[in-house]
Amino acid sequence: MDKKKTELQSLTIRQKLQGIQSSLKAPKGQTNKFGGYNYRSAEDILSAVKPLLSDYECILVNQDTMVEIGGRVYVQTTSTLIDTVGSMGDSVYTTGYAREAETKKGMDDAQITGSAASYSLKRSLGNLFCISDSSLDPDAINTHGKSNKT
């Protein structure tokens, strides 16, 4: 057995997660033309993490569930990082939520759900891999051209 595989087998799932978190670079590769800011999509995060999953011999499974909270429908996404060597089957997971809009101009129901699912996945991946979309992030505070009334 080669040295790298032996070292990987000695790592716990949390140590592997720490390695992935510290190595992951998921730049904001998308531009919102309307709001004039850069952001990262779930697809950007997934593209950046795939090589690291291979390096650390882990798999990532994302699962959506529809949940009702306070009479509103949310998409709950659970992202699970699973060890495929060492303590095989050990895992860590996080969840993210996004609420479906009741209506969204120009979108049918499937597109509204898909939009919420994409954002929920982005939140879940951000939680798992420590990717911040803090209140200082324009994507988090964007008003899409609507001013707040004071």
Side-chain angles (χ1 to χ4, degrees):
M1 188 176 287
D2 71 2
K3 183 179 177 184
K4 181 183 175 193
K5 191 145 189 121
T6 303
E7 288 173 3
L8 282 173
Q9 286 180 337
S10 69
L11 295 178
T12 67
I13 188 65
R14 285 172 176 74
Q15 289 170 320
K16 290 181 177 191
L17 178 58
Q18 180 184 23
I20 292 169
Q21 288 174 343
S22 64
S23 300
L24 182 62
K25 304 284 186 263
K28 295 179 180 181
Q30 309 294 320
T31 302
N32 180 301
K33 292 180 178 127
F34 180 75
Y37 61 89
N38 295 328
Y39 66 98
R40 73 181 61 80
S41 67
E43 291 78 13
D44 294 330
I45 297 168
L46 290 169
S47 292
V49 81
K50 282 180 183 179
L52 297 171
L53 294 173
S54 179
D55 290 347
Y56 283 89
E57 297 189 346
C58 292
I59 59 173
L60 176 66
V61 177
N62 299 299
Q63 183 175 1
D64 292 336
T65 305
M66 304 302 287
V67 295
E68 186 177 331
I69 301 171
R72 297 293 306 266
V73 177
Y74 287 75
V75 178
Q76 173 190 304
T77 302
T78 301
S79 296
T80 307
L81 182 69
I82 305 167
D83 191 351
T84 62
V85 297
S87 297
M88 195 141 103
D90 278 358
S91 64
V92 291
Y93 70 92
T94 59
T95 56
Y97 292 86
R99 186 177 75 198
E100 284 191 328
E102 289 184 22
T103 60
K104 185 108 173 159
K105 188 176 178 173
M107 285 188 173
D108 65 22
D109 289 348
Q111 290 170 315
I112 291 171
T113 301
S115 176
S118 292
Y119 194 74
S120 179
L121 174 60
K122 177 182 165 180
R123 297 287 313 217
S124 183
L125 292 170
N127 291 341
L128 184 61
F129 298 119
C130 289
I131 300 170
S132 175
D133 275 331
S134 71
S135 61
L136 301 176
D137 186 333
D139 192 24
I141 60 172
N142 181 30
T143 61
H144 296 285
K146 298 175 189 164
S147 62
N148 292 332
K149 299 197 190 249
T150 56

